[in-house]
Amino acid sequence: MKVTVINTGSSSIKYAVFDMSSCILLGSGLLERIGAADSRLRHRRLNDAGAFDELVRTRPVAEHREGFDFILSVASELRILSNPDELFGIGHRVVHGGDAYREAVLIDREVIANIKRFAPLAPLHNPANLKGIEVALERSPGVPQVAVFDTAFHQSMPPHSFHYALPRPMYREHHVRRYGFHGNSHGYVAKRAAELLGKPLEAVNLITLHLGNGASAAAIGGGKSLDTSMGMTPLEGLMMGTRCGDLDPALHFYLAKKAGISLDEIEKLLNTESGLKGVCGVNDMREVERLAAANDPDAQLAIDMFCYRIKKYIGAYCAVLGRVDALVFTGGIGENSPIVRERACAGLSALGIAVDEQKNTAVSKNEAEIQADRSPIKILVIPTNEELEIARQTLETIIRAKGMPRESVCS
Ligand code: AMP
């Protein structure tokens, strides 16, 4: 029972093939620089010893259709897929499902029209995601295909949490509201956290922190997203690699009117030149930490700001949830940076949150509990697996649509 997960960007295609009877990743890869003379496919394949072999191929790939054929030929050569119709399903990551989708859906004409309709809310992502869907439908017409939305998990937010304090027509006519993103990551770690806590998902209250190049926090009550830090777009909320996160909206008028910076330039400034990069010149947290350790004051300030803002959201979400069972760190930074985890939780023992220094520094690639003995709230580090979450939702959506039993599926 093989399921492929596809994440199509404007010049890239990321993919993963799972055997869903055992939840095993058979192979994955990334085709980058589509449209350039040196497009590169980096592919990993599970070998018989249970490790991954890597293969890299470079050749010109003019557009996405050719990119798909290239990936399929490599998958077939490596005997991951003998032909695309062998697949039980294909799951497409789609960034914005607006307020139309609370869960994954089988792709049909209406779904395609809706993904197009919401493209103005995610202009960098939805059109590219659609391109992947169109090519995959063309190349594998007999395989059921599912759209899995980054926004869907947060559709459970109540109105007082998702509305902005703007005149009602802004919402009714222009869909201006908070949607939230990283839903597949927050959803995946929430399920894992519930398993680790030994409770049903519906019974747990969690604060999940997805800290990667993009970063967001979520308040999860009874297993459902009640609030999240990203808003109408992924720009709101925590400080990120290159995005500013929360700021005063009046700053836009000030920059436009007083500094003569155009709206397009402001958009670029806030999305690609701000965050860690804006404060200290680099957006890679490993490099920021290295500079800070060498006494670079800008890098030290960047880490202070990054962690302070996480702490503010933790405090806010404790208030939203009332009772918190666990705080969960995930994403490249959340999984790998003891400094960020320690600083984000520092001084929160009055809220029941205290990190054990030794457990925190000992975390290495695996799931771990890092709270101090005196901490009533568990602090978990859970490596995220958005691809597996998308594969699961793909499978569940198809099984439901076909009225099949669920037993043969891994959980
Ligand atoms: P992601 O977007 O989830 O892939 O995460 C990327 C971020 O994780 C980058 O800022 C990396 O610098 C950061 N990261 C990865 N490994 C480490 C590490 N060992 N220590 C600190 N940050 C890390």
Side-chain angles (χ1 to χ4, degrees), residues 63 84 96 132 185 192 198 203 206 295 304 332 342 382 384 390:
E63 37 76 55
H96 221 303
S185 179
R192 273 305 294 150
L206 305 165
N295 290 324
D304 286 346
E342 192 267 318
I382 302 182
T384 194
I390 294 173

Side-chain angles (χ1 to χ4, degrees), residues 182 210-214 241 276 283-289 330-338 340 365 384 386:
H182 290 145
H210 177 104
L211 309 176
N213 201 31
L276 295 171
N283 67 301
D284 188 309
M285 185 53 95
R286 282 165 292 204
E287 184 62 8
V288 182
E289 288 183 2
T330 193
I333 299 171
E335 292 164 30
N336 296 300
S337 174
V340 169
K365 305 281 172 218
T384 194
E386 290 167 88

Side-chain angles (χ1 to χ4, degrees), residues 158-172:
H160 59 257
S161 149
F162 74 70
H163 277 301
Y164 290 116
L166 292 170
R168 300 294 284 152
M170 293 295 128
Y171 168 62
R172 285 199 289 259

Side-chain angles (χ1 to χ4, degrees), residues 106-278:
L106 273 179
I107 295 175
D108 59 15
R109 276 207 207 137
E110 186 192 331
V111 174
I112 290 178
N114 277 331
I115 296 172
K116 267 187 203 148
R117 184 159 70 89
F118 294 122
L121 294 170
L124 299 179
H125 295 101
N126 273 28
N129 301 155
L130 257 183
K131 211 176 271 182
I133 290 173
E134 280 161 5
V135 177
L137 284 172
E138 196 184 295
R139 288 297 190 257
S140 306
V143 178
Q145 312 216 8
V146 174
V148 184
F149 302 95
D150 265 22
T151 46
F153 181 69
H154 301 298
Q155 279 297 302
S156 47
M157 284 193 287
H160 59 257
S161 149
F162 74 70
H163 277 301
Y164 290 116
L166 292 170
R168 300 294 284 152
M170 293 295 128
Y171 168 62
R172 285 199 289 259
E173 289 161 31
H174 302 293
H175 305 284
V176 174
R177 51 159 283 178
R178 305 180 64 253
Y179 292 96
F181 298 86
H182 290 145
N184 295 311
S185 179
H186 289 290
Y188 173 82
V189 298
K191 280 181 212 152
R192 273 305 294 150
E195 281 163 13
L196 294 170
L197 295 170
K199 290 184 177 177
L201 180 62
E202 302 71 44
V204 292
N205 283 3
L206 305 165
I207 297 172
T208 51
L209 300 162
H210 177 104
L211 309 176
N213 201 31
S216 65
I220 299 178
K224 289 191 162 45
S225 175
L226 300 182
D227 201 351
T228 189
S229 59
M230 284 178 168
M232 186 172 97
T233 76
L235 194 53
E236 187 178 337
L238 299 174
M239 179 173 165
M240 308 180 213
T242 63
R243 295 183 207 135
C244 57
D246 292 333
L247 44 72
D248 182 344
L251 178 148
H252 302 72
F253 325 132
Y254 177 83
L255 290 179
K257 288 182 187 159
K258 297 272 188 229
I261 302 178
S262 72
L263 275 182
D264 283 349
E265 284 167 329
I266 296 173
E267 189 174 14
K268 185 161 170 263
L269 175 87
L270 303 182
N271 273 295
T272 64
E273 290 161 24
S274 299
L276 295 171
K277 185 178 173 196

